[in-house]
Amino acid sequence: MTTKLATYTRIRGQDQTQYASDQPSVNPARFTDVLGTYPVTSKEGVRAACIAAQEALPQWRSTPAPLRGNLIHNLSLLVTENKATLARWLTREIGKPYAEALGSVQEVIDTCQFFVSEGRRLYGQTIPSEMADKRLFTYRRPIGVCGIITAGNFPLAVPAWYVIPALLCGNTIVWKPSEDAPILSYLFCQLIEKAGFPPGVFNLVLGDGPTTGAALVDMVPEGLIDKIGFTGSSRIGQWIGQVTGAHFQAACLELGGKNPLVVTEDANLDLAVEGALWSAFGTAGQRCTSLGVLIVQERIYEHFMERLLARVAQMVIGDPMDPTVTYGPMISQRFLHNLLTFQKTLLAPHHTVLTPTQGQISRANPWPKFQGDPDQGYFAHPVIVAGVQKSDALYREETFGPMVAAVSYTDLEEALHWANDHGYGLSSAIYTRNSAQAFYFQDHIRAGMVSINNTTSGAEAHMPFGGNGRSGNGSRQSGIWVLDQFTRWQGVNWDFSDRLQRAQIDTVYAGGDTGFRVPDCDVAALSP
Ligand code: UN1
């Protein structure tokens, strides 16, 4: 089926000038399968979407939070009902293996379920005042119009992490999804509409980052966007941080990673091999939580790598609808191109590629356990590189594909240096049976997320998700923590004394003075 998308911004008075051109969306595992075409939103269209969101804001922010939560409940039911259909479109549009696609639709449902009841909390506090006849309170207030820019690897789950809490908190949205998943984004918008969100509360703009995404960020200086949420590269995140910072805004930034996985000498090696394999090659390494640097204790390094390479050799790659595949294609040609460029530019003579193959999988450069036709998709060989040094670009650049650096270490201190020194800090993992080492690792790793005896990926929807250093600006998504991204605290003090009470000045302390005493007590004199 080929779909031609109608525009989906609910913009009043929309006209053709709001759309620049039509682009196709192609199945990355089967080029002949064109899912549909989508209209690229022009800058004028982006502006109109922001104005629509501004106009919808007053009514939406004054809708009681429990009622906003009810609409999220409707959305949760709609996504649940359409879980398999959405997952099939997801697999078709970005090539994610079907079981994983189901899991990432589930992540949307989990997020909805968490925030449905948050609509009945969204707690503020009551705080005792230092003065009589005065009450203090806090309230969470929405921020305004949020511009959300998301990546193609989790085309529903990660957007849901932003938009569900943002809507619940009373914000309106302009969403710029990845150009790699326009059809799926459009389907998601339709579900949002069917859930009953009023027109203008949620708006979609389509196109790539340098044009539509940048146009959305340009709306910050124009005063039409109050908050940006961005998932993508550290380089673009840094730029967004600068633009928003110059306008007194704090963007929610979820950026790259070079996520470390440490294997200690006493680890359960069967488990560690499986964990490293999934961390590195699950989703073809296209998670921001994918493994970047594998750090193995030197006494087990040779043995561990042998076992890992044996497992890699058994891996089935190919058709993402085939349940036996570990990973399918790269999300799009752009992702494959970037990976192949990294393999050309980051590999140096002192490196050893431990895996037998590299580059693009094709009939001419085959992967033995391939399912389907490699020449019909953007498939990449798994690559493990040894001999990496701290000064290497390979150690400092996120490759966002099935490509991993492997190093050995002598003591945990050295392992932590390998784990931290690249400057990213998103996720991390350690495989160990030694609880002292596990605690030491969690105390000293700089990452925002740590797994003990589990993979670098796989965060749950109600845990804080986010990174430090080059992985983000400390913002956290998911669970209660994301509320601080989409609300601002308002402190209220209500004086009903009917007279001027000046804080700190007219406060009546015990005894009529400050109430503080330097105790007149000579401890030595108390001694027997
Ligand atoms: C991402 O790659 O941007 O923790 C998000 C995980 C997933 C989400 C990844 N639940 O790997």
mmCIF file with all atom_site columns, all heavy atoms in Angstrom, residues 107 151 153-154 157-158 161 231 254-255 286-290 400 426 449 456-461 465, ligand 1:
data_model
loop_
_atom_site.group_PDB
_atom_site.id
_atom_site.type_symbol
_atom_site.label_atom_id
_atom_site.label_alt_id
_atom_site.label_comp_id
_atom_site.label_asym_id
_atom_site.label_entity_id
_atom_site.label_seq_id
_atom_site.pdbx_PDB_ins_code
_atom_site.Cartn_x
_atom_site.Cartn_y
_atom_site.Cartn_z
_atom_site.occupancy
_atom_site.B_iso_or_equiv
_atom_site.pdbx_formal_charge
_atom_site.auth_seq_id
_atom_site.auth_comp_id
_atom_site.auth_asym_id
_atom_site.auth_atom_id
_atom_site.pdbx_PDB_model_num
ATOM   1   N N   . GLU A 1 107 ? 6.544  0.690  24.848 1.00 0.00 ? 107 GLU A N   1
ATOM   2   C CA  . GLU A 1 107 ? 7.133  1.787  25.631 1.00 0.00 ? 107 GLU A CA  1
ATOM   3   C C   . GLU A 1 107 ? 6.231  3.034  25.596 1.00 0.00 ? 107 GLU A C   1
ATOM   4   O O   . GLU A 1 107 ? 6.177  3.802  26.562 1.00 0.00 ? 107 GLU A O   1
ATOM   5   C CB  . GLU A 1 107 ? 8.536  2.099  25.077 1.00 0.00 ? 107 GLU A CB  1
ATOM   6   C CG  . GLU A 1 107 ? 9.532  2.479  26.144 1.00 0.00 ? 107 GLU A CG  1
ATOM   7   C CD  . GLU A 1 107 ? 10.983 2.374  25.696 1.00 0.00 ? 107 GLU A CD  1
ATOM   8   O OE1 . GLU A 1 107 ? 11.305 1.554  24.809 1.00 0.00 ? 107 GLU A OE1 1
ATOM   9   O OE2 . GLU A 1 107 ? 11.808 3.116  26.243 1.00 0.00 ? 107 GLU A OE2 1
ATOM   10  N N   . ALA A 1 151 ? 14.499 11.578 16.902 1.00 0.00 ? 151 ALA A N   1
ATOM   11  C CA  . ALA A 1 151 ? 15.300 10.791 15.965 1.00 0.00 ? 151 ALA A CA  1
ATOM   12  C C   . ALA A 1 151 ? 14.495 9.605  15.431 1.00 0.00 ? 151 ALA A C   1
ATOM   13  O O   . ALA A 1 151 ? 13.402 9.313  15.909 1.00 0.00 ? 151 ALA A O   1
ATOM   14  C CB  . ALA A 1 151 ? 16.559 10.309 16.678 1.00 0.00 ? 151 ALA A CB  1
ATOM   15  N N   . ASN A 1 153 ? 15.378 6.308  15.403 1.00 0.00 ? 153 ASN A N   1
ATOM   16  C CA  . ASN A 1 153 ? 15.619 4.952  15.913 1.00 0.00 ? 153 ASN A CA  1
ATOM   17  C C   . ASN A 1 153 ? 14.508 4.443  16.837 1.00 0.00 ? 153 ASN A C   1
ATOM   18  O O   . ASN A 1 153 ? 14.264 3.254  16.922 1.00 0.00 ? 153 ASN A O   1
ATOM   19  C CB  . ASN A 1 153 ? 16.985 4.874  16.619 1.00 0.00 ? 153 ASN A CB  1
ATOM   20  C CG  . ASN A 1 153 ? 17.090 5.820  17.785 1.00 0.00 ? 153 ASN A CG  1
ATOM   21  O OD1 . ASN A 1 153 ? 16.336 6.769  17.910 1.00 0.00 ? 153 ASN A OD1 1
ATOM   22  N ND2 . ASN A 1 153 ? 18.047 5.555  18.652 1.00 0.00 ? 153 ASN A ND2 1
ATOM   23  N N   . PHE A 1 154 ? 13.886 5.378  17.563 1.00 0.00 ? 154 PHE A N   1
ATOM   24  C CA  . PHE A 1 154 ? 12.700 5.050  18.369 1.00 0.00 ? 154 PHE A CA  1
ATOM   25  C C   . PHE A 1 154 ? 11.616 6.032  17.959 1.00 0.00 ? 154 PHE A C   1
ATOM   26  O O   . PHE A 1 154 ? 11.329 6.990  18.668 1.00 0.00 ? 154 PHE A O   1
ATOM   27  C CB  . PHE A 1 154 ? 13.007 5.157  19.872 1.00 0.00 ? 154 PHE A CB  1
ATOM   28  C CG  . PHE A 1 154 ? 13.694 3.940  20.424 1.00 0.00 ? 154 PHE A CG  1
ATOM   29  C CD1 . PHE A 1 154 ? 15.066 3.802  20.309 1.00 0.00 ? 154 PHE A CD1 1
ATOM   30  C CD2 . PHE A 1 154 ? 12.966 2.927  21.034 1.00 0.00 ? 154 PHE A CD2 1
ATOM   31  C CE1 . PHE A 1 154 ? 15.705 2.669  20.789 1.00 0.00 ? 154 PHE A CE1 1
ATOM   32  C CE2 . PHE A 1 154 ? 13.609 1.797  21.515 1.00 0.00 ? 154 PHE A CE2 1
ATOM   33  C CZ  . PHE A 1 154 ? 14.977 1.667  21.397 1.00 0.00 ? 154 PHE A CZ  1
ATOM   34  N N   . ALA A 1 157 ? 8.479  5.706  20.655 1.00 0.00 ? 157 ALA A N   1
ATOM   35  C CA  . ALA A 1 157 ? 8.727  5.686  22.102 1.00 0.00 ? 157 ALA A CA  1
ATOM   36  C C   . ALA A 1 157 ? 9.370  6.980  22.584 1.00 0.00 ? 157 ALA A C   1
ATOM   37  O O   . ALA A 1 157 ? 8.904  7.589  23.554 1.00 0.00 ? 157 ALA A O   1
ATOM   38  C CB  . ALA A 1 157 ? 9.609  4.494  22.463 1.00 0.00 ? 157 ALA A CB  1
ATOM   39  N N   . VAL A 1 158 ? 10.434 7.412  21.909 1.00 0.00 ? 158 VAL A N   1
ATOM   40  C CA  . VAL A 1 158 ? 11.128 8.605  22.403 1.00 0.00 ? 158 VAL A CA  1
ATOM   41  C C   . VAL A 1 158 ? 10.264 9.865  22.250 1.00 0.00 ? 158 VAL A C   1
ATOM   42  O O   . VAL A 1 158 ? 10.175 10.665 23.194 1.00 0.00 ? 158 VAL A O   1
ATOM   43  C CB  . VAL A 1 158 ? 12.533 8.731  21.766 1.00 0.00 ? 158 VAL A CB  1
ATOM   44  C CG1 . VAL A 1 158 ? 13.155 10.078 22.092 1.00 0.00 ? 158 VAL A CG1 1
ATOM   45  C CG2 . VAL A 1 158 ? 13.430 7.598  22.283 1.00 0.00 ? 158 VAL A CG2 1
ATOM   46  N N   . TRP A 1 161 ? 8.020  9.951  25.153 1.00 0.00 ? 161 TRP A N   1
ATOM   47  C CA  . TRP A 1 161 ? 8.664  10.405 26.395 1.00 0.00 ? 161 TRP A CA  1
ATOM   48  C C   . TRP A 1 161 ? 8.572  11.919 26.561 1.00 0.00 ? 161 TRP A C   1
ATOM   49  O O   . TRP A 1 161 ? 8.585  12.430 27.672 1.00 0.00 ? 161 TRP A O   1
ATOM   50  C CB  . TRP A 1 161 ? 10.150 10.054 26.402 1.00 0.00 ? 161 TRP A CB  1
ATOM   51  C CG  . TRP A 1 161 ? 10.474 8.609  26.520 1.00 0.00 ? 161 TRP A CG  1
ATOM   52  C CD1 . TRP A 1 161 ? 9.622  7.562  26.696 1.00 0.00 ? 161 TRP A CD1 1
ATOM   53  C CD2 . TRP A 1 161 ? 11.787 8.065  26.474 1.00 0.00 ? 161 TRP A CD2 1
ATOM   54  N NE1 . TRP A 1 161 ? 10.328 6.399  26.765 1.00 0.00 ? 161 TRP A NE1 1
ATOM   55  C CE2 . TRP A 1 161 ? 11.660 6.674  26.622 1.00 0.00 ? 161 TRP A CE2 1
ATOM   56  C CE3 . TRP A 1 161 ? 13.062 8.619  26.314 1.00 0.00 ? 161 TRP A CE3 1
ATOM   57  C CZ2 . TRP A 1 161 ? 12.760 5.828  26.620 1.00 0.00 ? 161 TRP A CZ2 1
ATOM   58  C CZ3 . TRP A 1 161 ? 14.148 7.779  26.308 1.00 0.00 ? 161 TRP A CZ3 1
ATOM   59  C CH2 . TRP A 1 161 ? 14.000 6.395  26.465 1.00 0.00 ? 161 TRP A CH2 1
ATOM   60  N N   . THR A 1 231 ? 16.278 15.041 20.744 1.00 0.00 ? 231 THR A N   1
ATOM   61  C CA  . THR A 1 231 ? 17.065 13.807 20.809 1.00 0.00 ? 231 THR A CA  1
ATOM   62  C C   . THR A 1 231 ? 17.846 13.701 19.514 1.00 0.00 ? 231 THR A C   1
ATOM   63  O O   . THR A 1 231 ? 17.249 13.700 18.425 1.00 0.00 ? 231 THR A O   1
ATOM   64  C CB  . THR A 1 231 ? 16.148 12.581 20.977 1.00 0.00 ? 231 THR A CB  1
ATOM   65  O OG1 . THR A 1 231 ? 15.502 12.675 22.252 1.00 0.00 ? 231 THR A OG1 1
ATOM   66  C CG2 . THR A 1 231 ? 16.950 11.286 20.933 1.00 0.00 ? 231 THR A CG2 1
ATOM   67  N N   . GLU A 1 254 ? 18.806 15.173 24.793 1.00 0.00 ? 254 GLU A N   1
ATOM   68  C CA  . GLU A 1 254 ? 19.163 13.756 24.940 1.00 0.00 ? 254 GLU A CA  1
ATOM   69  C C   . GLU A 1 254 ? 20.070 13.420 23.768 1.00 0.00 ? 254 GLU A C   1
ATOM   70  O O   . GLU A 1 254 ? 19.611 13.274 22.644 1.00 0.00 ? 254 GLU A O   1
ATOM   71  C CB  . GLU A 1 254 ? 17.870 12.928 24.934 1.00 0.00 ? 254 GLU A CB  1
ATOM   72  C CG  . GLU A 1 254 ? 18.008 11.624 25.655 1.00 0.00 ? 254 GLU A CG  1
ATOM   73  C CD  . GLU A 1 254 ? 18.334 10.498 24.715 1.00 0.00 ? 254 GLU A CD  1
ATOM   74  O OE1 . GLU A 1 254 ? 19.550 10.279 24.494 1.00 0.00 ? 254 GLU A OE1 1
ATOM   75  O OE2 . GLU A 1 254 ? 17.404 9.865  24.200 1.00 0.00 ? 254 GLU A OE2 1
ATOM   76  N N   . LEU A 1 255 ? 21.395 13.352 24.037 1.00 0.00 ? 255 LEU A N   1
ATOM   77  C CA  . LEU A 1 255 ? 22.374 13.369 22.954 1.00 0.00 ? 255 LEU A CA  1
ATOM   78  C C   . LEU A 1 255 ? 23.108 12.035 22.834 1.00 0.00 ? 255 LEU A C   1
ATOM   79  O O   . LEU A 1 255 ? 22.615 11.006 23.270 1.00 0.00 ? 255 LEU A O   1
ATOM   80  C CB  . LEU A 1 255 ? 23.332 14.542 23.181 1.00 0.00 ? 255 LEU A CB  1
ATOM   81  C CG  . LEU A 1 255 ? 22.619 15.888 23.462 1.00 0.00 ? 255 LEU A CG  1
ATOM   82  C CD1 . LEU A 1 255 ? 23.600 16.987 23.744 1.00 0.00 ? 255 LEU A CD1 1
ATOM   83  C CD2 . LEU A 1 255 ? 21.681 16.263 22.313 1.00 0.00 ? 255 LEU A CD2 1
ATOM   84  N N   . GLN A 1 286 ? 22.003 1.045  16.754 1.00 0.00 ? 286 GLN A N   1
ATOM   85  C CA  . GLN A 1 286 ? 21.419 2.373  16.517 1.00 0.00 ? 286 GLN A CA  1
ATOM   86  C C   . GLN A 1 286 ? 20.530 2.836  17.681 1.00 0.00 ? 286 GLN A C   1
ATOM   87  O O   . GLN A 1 286 ? 19.439 3.349  17.485 1.00 0.00 ? 286 GLN A O   1
ATOM   88  C CB  . GLN A 1 286 ? 20.612 2.372  15.227 1.00 0.00 ? 286 GLN A CB  1
ATOM   89  C CG  . GLN A 1 286 ? 21.460 2.033  14.003 1.00 0.00 ? 286 GLN A CG  1
ATOM   90  C CD  . GLN A 1 286 ? 20.612 1.804  12.771 1.00 0.00 ? 286 GLN A CD  1
ATOM   91  O OE1 . GLN A 1 286 ? 20.574 2.616  11.878 1.00 0.00 ? 286 GLN A OE1 1
ATOM   92  N NE2 . GLN A 1 286 ? 19.915 0.679  12.720 1.00 0.00 ? 286 GLN A NE2 1
ATOM   93  N N   . ARG A 1 287 ? 20.988 2.575  18.891 1.00 0.00 ? 287 ARG A N   1
ATOM   94  C CA  . ARG A 1 287 ? 20.342 3.171  20.063 1.00 0.00 ? 287 ARG A CA  1
ATOM   95  C C   . ARG A 1 287 ? 21.333 4.168  20.635 1.00 0.00 ? 287 ARG A C   1
ATOM   96  O O   . ARG A 1 287 ? 22.552 3.933  20.558 1.00 0.00 ? 287 ARG A O   1
ATOM   97  C CB  . ARG A 1 287 ? 20.086 2.121  21.147 1.00 0.00 ? 287 ARG A CB  1
ATOM   98  C CG  . ARG A 1 287 ? 19.051 1.113  20.781 1.00 0.00 ? 287 ARG A CG  1
ATOM   99  C CD  . ARG A 1 287 ? 18.768 0.222  21.983 1.00 0.00 ? 287 ARG A CD  1
ATOM   100 N NE  . ARG A 1 287 ? 17.869 -0.848 21.582 1.00 0.00 ? 287 ARG A NE  1
ATOM   101 C CZ  . ARG A 1 287 ? 16.871 -1.311 22.333 1.00 0.00 ? 287 ARG A CZ  1
ATOM   102 N NH1 . ARG A 1 287 ? 16.664 -0.832 23.539 1.00 0.00 ? 287 ARG A NH1 1
ATOM   103 N NH2 . ARG A 1 287 ? 16.099 -2.279 21.901 1.00 0.00 ? 287 ARG A NH2 1
ATOM   104 N N   . CYS A 1 288 ? 20.849 5.204  21.255 1.00 0.00 ? 288 CYS A N   1
ATOM   105 C CA  . CYS A 1 288 ? 21.823 6.085  21.908 1.00 0.00 ? 288 CYS A CA  1
ATOM   106 C C   . CYS A 1 288 ? 22.406 5.389  23.126 1.00 0.00 ? 288 CYS A C   1
ATOM   107 O O   . CYS A 1 288 ? 23.428 5.802  23.638 1.00 0.00 ? 288 CYS A O   1
ATOM   108 C CB  . CYS A 1 288 ? 21.252 7.448  22.214 1.00 0.00 ? 288 CYS A CB  1
ATOM   109 S SG  . CYS A 1 288 ? 19.691 7.381  22.964 1.00 0.00 ? 288 CYS A SG  1
ATOM   110 N N   . THR A 1 289 ? 21.775 4.279  23.541 1.00 0.00 ? 289 THR A N   1
ATOM   111 C CA  . THR A 1 289 ? 22.322 3.505  24.656 1.00 0.00 ? 289 THR A CA  1
ATOM   112 C C   . THR A 1 289 ? 23.166 2.309  24.191 1.00 0.00 ? 289 THR A C   1
ATOM   113 O O   . THR A 1 289 ? 23.561 1.485  25.012 1.00 0.00 ? 289 THR A O   1
ATOM   114 C CB  . THR A 1 289 ? 21.176 2.980  25.534 1.00 0.00 ? 289 THR A CB  1
ATOM   115 O OG1 . THR A 1 289 ? 20.233 2.314  24.684 1.00 0.00 ? 289 THR A OG1 1
ATOM   116 C CG2 . THR A 1 289 ? 20.482 4.081  26.293 1.00 0.00 ? 289 THR A CG2 1
ATOM   117 N N   . SER A 1 290 ? 23.425 2.200  22.884 1.00 0.00 ? 290 SER A N   1
ATOM   118 C CA  . SER A 1 290 ? 24.201 1.050  22.394 1.00 0.00 ? 290 SER A CA  1
ATOM   119 C C   . SER A 1 290 ? 25.626 1.088  22.931 1.00 0.00 ? 290 SER A C   1
ATOM   120 O O   . SER A 1 290 ? 26.169 2.150  23.250 1.00 0.00 ? 290 SER A O   1
ATOM   121 C CB  . SER A 1 290 ? 24.251 1.067  20.862 1.00 0.00 ? 290 SER A CB  1
ATOM   122 O OG  . SER A 1 290 ? 22.987 0.786  20.342 1.00 0.00 ? 290 SER A OG  1
ATOM   123 N N   . PHE A 1 400 ? 27.174 5.138  16.020 1.00 0.00 ? 400 PHE A N   1
ATOM   124 C CA  . PHE A 1 400 ? 25.760 4.876  15.802 1.00 0.00 ? 400 PHE A CA  1
ATOM   125 C C   . PHE A 1 400 ? 25.529 3.788  14.752 1.00 0.00 ? 400 PHE A C   1
ATOM   126 O O   . PHE A 1 400 ? 24.859 3.983  13.727 1.00 0.00 ? 400 PHE A O   1
ATOM   127 C CB  . PHE A 1 400 ? 25.024 6.158  15.409 1.00 0.00 ? 400 PHE A CB  1
ATOM   128 C CG  . PHE A 1 400 ? 23.632 6.182  15.965 1.00 0.00 ? 400 PHE A CG  1
ATOM   129 C CD1 . PHE A 1 400 ? 23.408 6.448  17.293 1.00 0.00 ? 400 PHE A CD1 1
ATOM   130 C CD2 . PHE A 1 400 ? 22.543 5.896  15.156 1.00 0.00 ? 400 PHE A CD2 1
ATOM   131 C CE1 . PHE A 1 400 ? 22.125 6.443  17.819 1.00 0.00 ? 400 PHE A CE1 1
ATOM   132 C CE2 . PHE A 1 400 ? 21.254 5.884  15.680 1.00 0.00 ? 400 PHE A CE2 1
ATOM   133 C CZ  . PHE A 1 400 ? 21.053 6.158  17.005 1.00 0.00 ? 400 PHE A CZ  1
ATOM   134 N N   . LEU A 1 426 ? 26.030 8.758  29.025 1.00 0.00 ? 426 LEU A N   1
ATOM   135 C CA  . LEU A 1 426 ? 24.618 8.394  28.947 1.00 0.00 ? 426 LEU A CA  1
ATOM   136 C C   . LEU A 1 426 ? 24.362 7.120  29.755 1.00 0.00 ? 426 LEU A C   1
ATOM   137 O O   . LEU A 1 426 ? 23.966 7.165  30.891 1.00 0.00 ? 426 LEU A O   1
ATOM   138 C CB  . LEU A 1 426 ? 24.185 8.244  27.481 1.00 0.00 ? 426 LEU A CB  1
ATOM   139 C CG  . LEU A 1 426 ? 22.677 8.054  27.290 1.00 0.00 ? 426 LEU A CG  1
ATOM   140 C CD1 . LEU A 1 426 ? 21.892 9.225  27.823 1.00 0.00 ? 426 LEU A CD1 1
ATOM   141 C CD2 . LEU A 1 426 ? 22.348 7.818  25.825 1.00 0.00 ? 426 LEU A CD2 1
ATOM   142 N N   . MET A 1 449 ? 23.046 6.648  33.625 1.00 0.00 ? 449 MET A N   1
ATOM   143 C CA  . MET A 1 449 ? 22.385 5.351  33.843 1.00 0.00 ? 449 MET A CA  1
ATOM   144 C C   . MET A 1 449 ? 23.434 4.240  33.960 1.00 0.00 ? 449 MET A C   1
ATOM   145 O O   . MET A 1 449 ? 24.392 4.220  33.178 1.00 0.00 ? 449 MET A O   1
ATOM   146 C CB  . MET A 1 449 ? 21.442 5.064  32.673 1.00 0.00 ? 449 MET A CB  1
ATOM   147 C CG  . MET A 1 449 ? 20.313 6.090  32.614 1.00 0.00 ? 449 MET A CG  1
ATOM   148 S SD  . MET A 1 449 ? 19.278 5.942  31.168 1.00 0.00 ? 449 MET A SD  1
ATOM   149 C CE  . MET A 1 449 ? 20.298 6.606  29.890 1.00 0.00 ? 449 MET A CE  1
ATOM   150 N N   . THR A 1 456 ? 23.699 -2.233 28.235 1.00 0.00 ? 456 THR A N   1
ATOM   151 C CA  . THR A 1 456 ? 23.758 -0.765 28.279 1.00 0.00 ? 456 THR A CA  1
ATOM   152 C C   . THR A 1 456 ? 22.427 -0.150 27.856 1.00 0.00 ? 456 THR A C   1
ATOM   153 O O   . THR A 1 456 ? 22.156 1.004  28.154 1.00 0.00 ? 456 THR A O   1
ATOM   154 C CB  . THR A 1 456 ? 24.857 -0.222 27.351 1.00 0.00 ? 456 THR A CB  1
ATOM   155 O OG1 . THR A 1 456 ? 24.653 -0.768 26.031 1.00 0.00 ? 456 THR A OG1 1
ATOM   156 C CG2 . THR A 1 456 ? 26.238 -0.586 27.840 1.00 0.00 ? 456 THR A CG2 1
ATOM   157 N N   . SER A 1 457 ? 21.616 -0.929 27.131 1.00 0.00 ? 457 SER A N   1
ATOM   158 C CA  . SER A 1 457 ? 20.336 -0.394 26.664 1.00 0.00 ? 457 SER A CA  1
ATOM   159 C C   . SER A 1 457 ? 19.206 -0.985 27.504 1.00 0.00 ? 457 SER A C   1
ATOM   160 O O   . SER A 1 457 ? 19.434 -1.805 28.378 1.00 0.00 ? 457 SER A O   1
ATOM   161 C CB  . SER A 1 457 ? 20.140 -0.727 25.186 1.00 0.00 ? 457 SER A CB  1
ATOM   162 O OG  . SER A 1 457 ? 20.155 -2.122 25.019 1.00 0.00 ? 457 SER A OG  1
ATOM   163 N N   . GLY A 1 458 ? 17.987 -0.542 27.222 1.00 0.00 ? 458 GLY A N   1
ATOM   164 C CA  . GLY A 1 458 ? 16.847 -1.184 27.865 1.00 0.00 ? 458 GLY A CA  1
ATOM   165 C C   . GLY A 1 458 ? 16.303 -0.462 29.072 1.00 0.00 ? 458 GLY A C   1
ATOM   166 O O   . GLY A 1 458 ? 15.773 -1.084 29.998 1.00 0.00 ? 458 GLY A O   1
ATOM   167 N N   . ALA A 1 459 ? 16.404 0.874  29.073 1.00 0.00 ? 459 ALA A N   1
ATOM   168 C CA  . ALA A 1 459 ? 15.828 1.645  30.182 1.00 0.00 ? 459 ALA A CA  1
ATOM   169 C C   . ALA A 1 459 ? 14.314 1.457  30.208 1.00 0.00 ? 459 ALA A C   1
ATOM   170 O O   . ALA A 1 459 ? 13.690 1.311  29.171 1.00 0.00 ? 459 ALA A O   1
ATOM   171 C CB  . ALA A 1 459 ? 16.156 3.114  29.993 1.00 0.00 ? 459 ALA A CB  1
ATOM   172 N N   . GLU A 1 460 ? 13.742 1.468  31.373 1.00 0.00 ? 460 GLU A N   1
ATOM   173 C CA  . GLU A 1 460 ? 12.283 1.336  31.479 1.00 0.00 ? 460 GLU A CA  1
ATOM   174 C C   . GLU A 1 460 ? 11.642 2.714  31.542 1.00 0.00 ? 460 GLU A C   1
ATOM   175 O O   . GLU A 1 460 ? 12.270 3.694  31.933 1.00 0.00 ? 460 GLU A O   1
ATOM   176 C CB  . GLU A 1 460 ? 11.935 0.481  32.706 1.00 0.00 ? 460 GLU A CB  1
ATOM   177 C CG  . GLU A 1 460 ? 12.489 -0.919 32.557 1.00 0.00 ? 460 GLU A CG  1
ATOM   178 C CD  . GLU A 1 460 ? 12.070 -1.861 33.676 1.00 0.00 ? 460 GLU A CD  1
ATOM   179 O OE1 . GLU A 1 460 ? 11.020 -1.664 34.274 1.00 0.00 ? 460 GLU A OE1 1
ATOM   180 O OE2 . GLU A 1 460 ? 12.839 -2.812 33.928 1.00 0.00 ? 460 GLU A OE2 1
ATOM   181 N N   . ALA A 1 461 ? 10.354 2.748  31.169 1.00 0.00 ? 461 ALA A N   1
ATOM   182 C CA  . ALA A 1 461 ? 9.685  4.032  30.909 1.00 0.00 ? 461 ALA A CA  1
ATOM   183 C C   . ALA A 1 461 ? 9.449  4.871  32.157 1.00 0.00 ? 461 ALA A C   1
ATOM   184 O O   . ALA A 1 461 ? 9.081  6.029  32.051 1.00 0.00 ? 461 ALA A O   1
ATOM   185 C CB  . ALA A 1 461 ? 8.364  3.794  30.197 1.00 0.00 ? 461 ALA A CB  1
ATOM   186 N N   . PHE A 1 465 ? 15.780 8.919  32.514 1.00 0.00 ? 465 PHE A N   1
ATOM   187 C CA  . PHE A 1 465 ? 16.587 8.637  31.323 1.00 0.00 ? 465 PHE A CA  1
ATOM   188 C C   . PHE A 1 465 ? 17.289 9.924  30.918 1.00 0.00 ? 465 PHE A C   1
ATOM   189 O O   . PHE A 1 465 ? 16.658 10.939 30.670 1.00 0.00 ? 465 PHE A O   1
ATOM   190 C CB  . PHE A 1 465 ? 15.686 8.153  30.177 1.00 0.00 ? 465 PHE A CB  1
ATOM   191 C CG  . PHE A 1 465 ? 16.470 7.678  28.976 1.00 0.00 ? 465 PHE A CG  1
ATOM   192 C CD1 . PHE A 1 465 ? 16.680 6.323  28.762 1.00 0.00 ? 465 PHE A CD1 1
ATOM   193 C CD2 . PHE A 1 465 ? 17.007 8.584  28.075 1.00 0.00 ? 465 PHE A CD2 1
ATOM   194 C CE1 . PHE A 1 465 ? 17.420 5.881  27.666 1.00 0.00 ? 465 PHE A CE1 1
ATOM   195 C CE2 . PHE A 1 465 ? 17.746 8.146  26.983 1.00 0.00 ? 465 PHE A CE2 1
ATOM   196 C CZ  . PHE A 1 465 ? 17.950 6.791  26.772 1.00 0.00 ? 465 PHE A CZ  1
HETATM 197 C C1  . UN1 B 2 .   ? 17.364 6.045  22.344 1.00 0.00 ? 1   UN1 B C1  1
HETATM 198 O O1  . UN1 B 2 .   ? 18.119 5.303  21.723 1.00 0.00 ? 1   UN1 B O1  1
HETATM 199 O O2  . UN1 B 2 .   ? 17.279 7.270  22.042 1.00 0.00 ? 1   UN1 B O2  1
HETATM 200 O O3  . UN1 B 2 .   ? 17.056 2.251  26.843 1.00 0.00 ? 1   UN1 B O3  1
HETATM 201 C C2  . UN1 B 2 .   ? 16.462 5.597  23.415 1.00 0.00 ? 1   UN1 B C2  1
HETATM 202 C C3  . UN1 B 2 .   ? 16.855 1.959  25.658 1.00 0.00 ? 1   UN1 B C3  1
HETATM 203 C C4  . UN1 B 2 .   ? 15.516 2.293  25.056 1.00 0.00 ? 1   UN1 B C4  1
HETATM 204 C C5  . UN1 B 2 .   ? 15.460 3.713  24.640 1.00 0.00 ? 1   UN1 B C5  1
HETATM 205 C C6  . UN1 B 2 .   ? 16.633 4.183  23.825 1.00 0.00 ? 1   UN1 B C6  1
HETATM 206 N N1  . UN1 B 2 .   ? 14.469 2.003  26.010 1.00 0.00 ? 1   UN1 B N1  1
HETATM 207 O O4  . UN1 B 2 .   ? 17.714 1.456  24.959 1.00 0.00 ? 1   UN1 B O4  1
#
